[in-house]
Amino acid sequence: MSQLSTQSDLVAPFLEIKNAQIIYDNAIEAVRDVSLSVAEGTVVALLGSNGAGKSTLLKAVTGTLHLEDGDLEKGSIHFAGRDLARSKTDAIVRDGLVLVPEGRKLFANMTVEENLTMGAHLKSASELRRLKQTVFELFPKLKERRSQTAGYLSGGEQQMVAVGRALMAEPRLLVLDEPSLGLAPLIIDAIYETIALMRRELNMTVFLVEQNATQAMNLADYVYIMENGRIVLDGPAEKMRTNLDVQEYYLGFSSGGEERKSFRDIKHYKRRKRWLS
Amino acid sequence: MTYLLELLSSGLAIGAVYGLIAMSFAIIYKSTGLLNFSQGEMSMIIAYVAWSISTGTDGNPFIVAIGSIGFAILFALAVERIAIRPMMGEPILSQIMVTIGLSVIFRALVTLLWDGLPHNMELAAGNALVDFGGIQVRVAQIAVVVMLFVAIAGMWTFFRYSRFGLAMRAVASDDGTAQLMGVKTGRVQMAAWAASAVMSGTAGVLFAIAFELSPSLYGLGLKAFPATILGGLDSVIGSAFGGLIIGVAENLVGGYISSSLKEIAGFVIIILILMIRPYGLFGEKRIERL
């Protein structure tokens, strides 16, 4: 994947967001003029801190913006030829765009197996059996715990159920919203290994939204960085990894080298200025 | 002893009526988070329609059963589409106010379309008396208990084994996430309303046969609602047992202590039980990870 220079060089992008502006309650602008694209077979990461507008963008992509009085005022969002701004969530899921929501959002009172069944809600009974087998092969641990109540699993296991549940819908584009949120470092490593595995084994296209920049950047082919509702920087992952600004502000290395540097040491105005240039 | 058995058997019968209506409250609450305060009124309207069908067809029980179930489903879908669907996404309190408004409209409709007088619902099969070792019970009273257990078994199977039942539980647990799986919440809501109308309609019709049909039938809803709370607002099957408990308790208090205490007996039990189990006897405890 290292030969990529920009996303747009590739064949028609799978997911394409053009100049999106999203406004809540007709008053609060959460996303301004954002354009990004995800090509088939790639892993694209969208990084940014709290309140950067990442989750809002994902709500627009999954057709759930209206639930919170949000509106795509300008621009367009297309997935595999479908206009997502005018689509219902079930049609979007049927097309193969599936989200693993932030904070996992399992059905806490249902068993692991019932959670997985829900993931395949739009599939027939025979497809359900086949998909369940595939997911159990990928995550043998879920098979062990199939009849346990999902709400009582550990955080890492819950994340595994959440990813498994999304796979049950046979995604063509898997969208992960902060998969590492609230998990211990070792478990985060395991989650990222799983994503890498799915990409290798199932040749899956992944759109990853994260605050945890290091892991996401190691996995991704292309990286977008969002701040205050805008894309402030984007480029192929290996270029971004060596970009001094990114190293300093997202990966925590000082420009000198290996020495760790706290985020707090960097003056706010300086960050803003650098991004704008 | 006979006296006790009589109190118990009629208590179970009225308890089954409460139970069926309580299940109706619970199924709508569970799948849409809404309390339908017009449940008793819907049950009353269905009973009146059943009465009209029975007087129009010389009381053939099969025609009455099929006709009133069919009407119950259409009626519920119409109410859902006209009054409830447009309120989806509005604050829950406004939605509840709509159901309270509906209840007033339904009560007025009954006196407008029929009349304000009590009637005997003559349905030969239902009025017949059966002798159980000295205790006389009407067929309709037995039927309502049987119907309750059919409903319990049906609901249990439905929620546990059917894909659609699972989807309803998912919507109950987290509707936003259920939508992300492709569940159409509108369809879940329609199914819940139809099922609740069939159950509460059955209760209303059988009550009208066993006792009488009058415009105060809607009061069953007021008695059944506490049964739902007792069983657990989100537990469809628990509500059924809540109804049985309240029906029997009412009768025992009315028979042994004082008939004036009968009406409040159920409510006293509820307060006591909710102090110990705030989510009801069978309600699901929220699982929270810290």
Side-chain angles (χ1 to χ4, degrees):
Chain A
M1 302 290 156
S2 52
Q3 69 274 23
L4 300 183
S5 54
T6 66
Q7 270 314 82
S8 48
D9 287 352
L10 286 154
V11 274
F14 218 20
L15 175 71
E16 181 156 51
I17 302 176
K18 272 189 188 156
N19 307 97
Q21 182 194 28
I22 299 171
I23 293 182
Y24 282 117
D25 285 330
N26 294 321
I28 304 152
E29 188 184 49
V31 169
R32 174 186 289 183
D33 201 25
V34 165
S35 298
L36 65 79
S37 63
V38 179
E40 196 160 4
T42 62
V43 174
V44 173
L46 174 64
L47 307 178
S49 53
N50 268 335
K54 305 183 308 281
S55 291
T56 300
L57 205 59
L58 284 192
K59 278 174 200 148
V61 167
T62 51
T64 50
L65 204 53
H66 64 278
L67 294 176
E68 284 165 51
D69 275 327
D71 201 15
L72 182 70
E73 288 284 302
K74 282 184 206 143
S76 68
I77 305 179
H78 282 88
F79 170 66
R82 173 187 285 281
D83 181 0
L84 297 187
R86 268 179 266 286
S87 298
K88 292 223 165 111
T89 308
D90 58 296
I92 296 173
V93 175
R94 213 181 283 275
D95 272 4
L97 194 161
V98 182
L99 172 73
V100 179
E102 181 185 341
R104 306 179 279 280
K105 300 275 170 61
L106 296 185
F107 301 114
N109 287 311
M110 307 201 318
T111 65
V112 169
E113 189 161 13
E114 286 172 333
N115 268 281
L116 293 180
T117 306
M118 277 314 298
H121 181 71
L122 297 171
K123 303 286 177 184
S124 73
S126 59
E127 282 176 309
L128 171 69
R129 267 194 302 279
R130 175 175 61 80
L131 287 162
K132 216 178 259 177
Q133 210 168 354
T134 317
V135 169
F136 281 153
E137 270 166 29
L138 204 59
F139 305 107
K141 197 150 198 186
L142 294 189
K143 193 170 186 178
E144 263 170 54
R145 308 217 178 244
R146 62 201 291 177
S147 51
Q148 287 192 18
T149 306
Y152 291 130
L153 297 179
S154 72
E157 288 167 333
Q158 289 200 5
Q159 187 59 269
M160 211 182 269
V161 178
V163 172
R165 184 176 64 179
L167 292 183
M168 293 294 289
E170 276 192 301
R172 293 198 288 158
L173 170 61
L174 183 69
V175 185
L176 292 136
D177 193 357
E178 303 211 12
S180 65
L181 187 74
L183 297 177
L186 269 178
I187 297 166
I188 297 177
D189 287 349
I191 295 285
Y192 272 89
E193 267 165 39
T194 311
I195 301 171
L197 177 81
M198 289 187 310
R199 178 218 188 138
R200 259 198 328 269
E201 302 280 312
L202 310 170
N203 195 24
M204 194 167 289
T205 313
V206 178
F207 182 36
L208 184 63
V209 176
E210 262 291 13
Q211 291 195 45
N212 182 345
T214 320
Q215 293 271 16
M217 243 184 248
N218 283 334
L219 182 72
D221 301 312
Y222 199 87
V223 176
Y224 291 89
I225 294 178
M226 203 169 173
E227 238 176 48
N228 296 324
R230 286 174 234 230
I231 302 280
V232 287
L233 201 64
D234 69 300
E238 68 273 13
K239 254 193 200 166
M240 295 289 271
R241 277 196 290 271
T242 54
N243 180 307
L244 290 183
D245 284 340
V246 175
Q247 281 200 344
E248 206 163 337
Y249 307 131
Y250 282 89
L251 302 179
F253 297 116
S254 70
S255 39
E258 289 300 299
E259 195 195 338
R260 285 258 166 193
K261 198 167 185 179
S262 166
F263 212 69
R264 268 172 304 194
D265 298 341
I266 299 147
K267 285 203 172 80
H268 190 66
Y269 71 88
K270 195 178 160 200
R271 295 167 51 201
R272 289 285 290 276
K273 243 185 183 164
R274 285 236 205 148
W275 290 138
L276 288 173
S277 61
Chain B
M1 189 62 190
T2 323
Y3 184 55
L4 174 67
L5 288 176
E6 268 172 4
L7 287 177
L8 281 179
S9 60
S10 61
L12 279 178
I14 190 73
V17 171
Y18 297 158
L20 278 168
I21 300 178
M23 286 173 87
S24 317
F25 275 112
I27 194 170
I28 289 183
Y29 179 80
K30 192 180 167 79
S31 52
T32 65
L34 173 66
L35 289 169
N36 172 22
F37 279 108
S38 64
Q39 202 71 59
E41 284 76 5
M42 289 178 71
S43 153
M44 173 167 72
I45 287 197
I46 295 161
Y48 268 90
V49 169
W51 178 60
S52 293
I53 297 174
S54 101
T55 48
T57 60
D58 299 326
N60 181 328
F62 292 105
I63 297 177
V64 175
I66 290 165
S68 41
I69 287 174
F71 170 76
I73 291 172
L74 293 178
F75 178 49
L77 293 183
V79 171
E80 192 271 334
R81 180 51 62 93
I82 295 166
I84 307 299
R85 185 74 65 90
M87 296 297 292
M88 253 177 150
E90 300 293 328
I92 196 71
L93 205 57
S94 328
Q95 298 189 31
I96 291 177
M97 293 307 285
V98 168
T99 71
I100 294 176
L102 283 174
S103 74
V104 177
I105 295 171
F106 293 156
R107 259 177 264 168
L109 269 181
V110 165
T111 39
L112 190 75
L113 295 177
W114 289 277
D115 55 36
L117 303 169
H119 297 277
N120 277 324
M121 184 146 165
E122 302 280 344
L123 209 64
N127 294 82
L129 285 168
V130 183
D131 200 310
F132 266 127
I135 305 158
Q136 304 255 304
V137 192
R138 284 187 198 281
V139 170
Q141 285 176 300
I142 300 171
V144 74
V145 177
V146 171
M147 284 311 294
L148 179 76
F149 283 98
V150 168
I152 291 173
M155 284 297 146
W156 191 81
T157 317
F158 174 71
F159 280 120
R160 185 144 194 112
Y161 295 110
S162 83
R163 301 272 302 271
F164 195 74
L166 193 65
M168 283 179 92
R169 281 168 58 202
V171 171
S173 155
D174 181 345
D175 58 341
T177 308
Q179 278 187 45
L180 283 177
M181 319 274 112
V183 177
K184 287 190 180 137
T185 42
R187 222 176 269 179
V188 165
Q189 178 160 313
M190 279 165 70
W193 277 77
S196 84
V198 170
M199 286 191 293
S200 59
T202 309
V205 173
L206 291 171
F207 179 87
I209 296 170
F211 302 95
E212 64 172 13
L213 181 67
S214 78
S216 59
L217 195 72
Y218 74 86
L220 289 178
L222 300 180
K223 286 291 190 59
F225 180 62
T228 316
I229 305 272
L230 177 63
L233 206 47
D234 55 358
S235 168
V236 176
I237 289 164
S239 309
F241 291 106
L244 288 177
I245 292 170
I246 289 193
V248 170
E250 261 187 17
N251 256 26
L252 291 180
V253 169
Y256 283 113
I257 302 173
S258 148
S259 57
S260 55
L261 282 180
K262 187 179 173 181
E263 298 294 310
I264 62 162
F267 294 91
V268 174
I269 294 177
I270 289 161
I271 291 171
L272 290 179
I273 288 183
L274 288 188
M275 280 176 173
I276 304 163
R277 288 180 68 91
Y279 36 85
L281 284 179
F282 305 91
E284 276 180 347
K285 213 171 161 180
R286 294 248 162 252
I287 295 176
E288 270 173 43
R289 287 177 50 86
L290 297 174

